[in-house]
């Protein structure tokens, strides 16, 4: 098993910082309690897919963009796949920017 | 909350069928029990992100491709976003094909 490829906690925190919100306000926006948010970012809680989907929906970030943002490229072992992920990222970035500008 | 945008169960089943495996053999490949697999595809179990990540890793499908495959486009309310997802999909398909050909 190769896990920890997804930086869920770091990605949530980076979106929170982009939105310039404190943890309480961001947790509100996510639709979860501040203590649950803290557990997630301190990696004490394992999110289920439905909850992640709901959080993404609440913060207006498409889940596929969230996942792509959360991928830890350094943990991708296959060099060809690593190259592909690096190649597709700028395009996804453009889409993210476009999507963010809607909200 | 707009959920059910991700067809996790259907996506797993379509990958299983592509690989021409029965449920028991596919569950083995996923690294989970056949009964757990049945619970997932009958939507009686809510997968956590780490488990989905491990399953994707075990079946050699990058999680970002899995998520993109699992998105139910019809459930995307924003027309511009729906258009973008439809636009990026063929490119992701090419990447999937390339990735599948590694395994």
């Amino acid at each position: 098993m190769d896990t920890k490829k997804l930086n869920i906690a770091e990605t949530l925190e980076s979106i929170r910082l982009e939105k310039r919100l404190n943890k309480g306000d961001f947790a509100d926006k996510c639709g979860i309690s501040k203590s649950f948010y803290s557990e997630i970012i301190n990696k004490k809680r394992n999110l289920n897919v439905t909850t992640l989907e709901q959080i993404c929906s609440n913060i207006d970030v498409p889940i596929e963009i969230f996942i792509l943002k959360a991928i830890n490229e350094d943990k991708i072992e296959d060099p060809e796949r690593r190259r592909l992920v690096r190649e597709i990222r700028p395009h996804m970035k453009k889409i993210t920017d476009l999507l963010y500008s809607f909200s």
Side-chain angles (χ1 to χ4, degrees), chain A:
Chain A
M1 311 263 207
D2 59 356
T3 53
K4 295 213 177 178
K5 262 197 238 146
L6 293 182
N7 296 329
I8 301 286
E10 295 80 355
T11 304
L12 278 172
E13 276 291 271
S14 96
I15 294 171
R16 178 179 73 77
L17 295 171
E18 279 168 29
K19 291 184 182 282
R20 295 166 196 272
L21 292 174
N22 64 39
K23 288 176 190 172
D25 290 342
F26 187 62
D28 273 353
K29 208 168 160 37
C30 290
I32 58 178
S33 69
K34 192 181 168 190
S35 62
F36 185 30
Y37 185 75
S38 294
E39 285 179 345
I40 298 169
I41 62 168
N42 293 315
K43 301 175 188 181
K44 287 180 178 154
R45 200 60 106 91
N46 207 334
L47 271 185
N48 72 47
V49 178
T50 308
T51 309
L52 178 61
E53 213 184 323
Q54 286 171 346
I55 290 174
C56 285
S57 167
N58 291 342
I59 61 178
D60 297 317
V61 175
I63 189 161
E64 68 276 19
I65 304 284
F66 186 95
I67 295 288
L68 210 82
K69 226 173 140 64
I71 289 172
N72 188 346
E73 289 167 18
D74 303 333
K75 293 278 174 73
I76 302 176
E77 278 162 34
D78 182 282
E80 181 62 4
R81 226 204 110 208
R82 199 163 53 233
R83 192 186 63 74
L84 282 168
V85 168
R86 290 204 171 123
E87 203 165 281
I88 205 170
R89 276 206 154 175
H91 303 288
M92 293 302 261
K93 175 81 175 62
K94 272 185 222 155
I95 295 175
T96 322
D97 292 343
L98 183 55
L99 287 162
Y100 273 126
S101 71
F102 291 148
S103 57

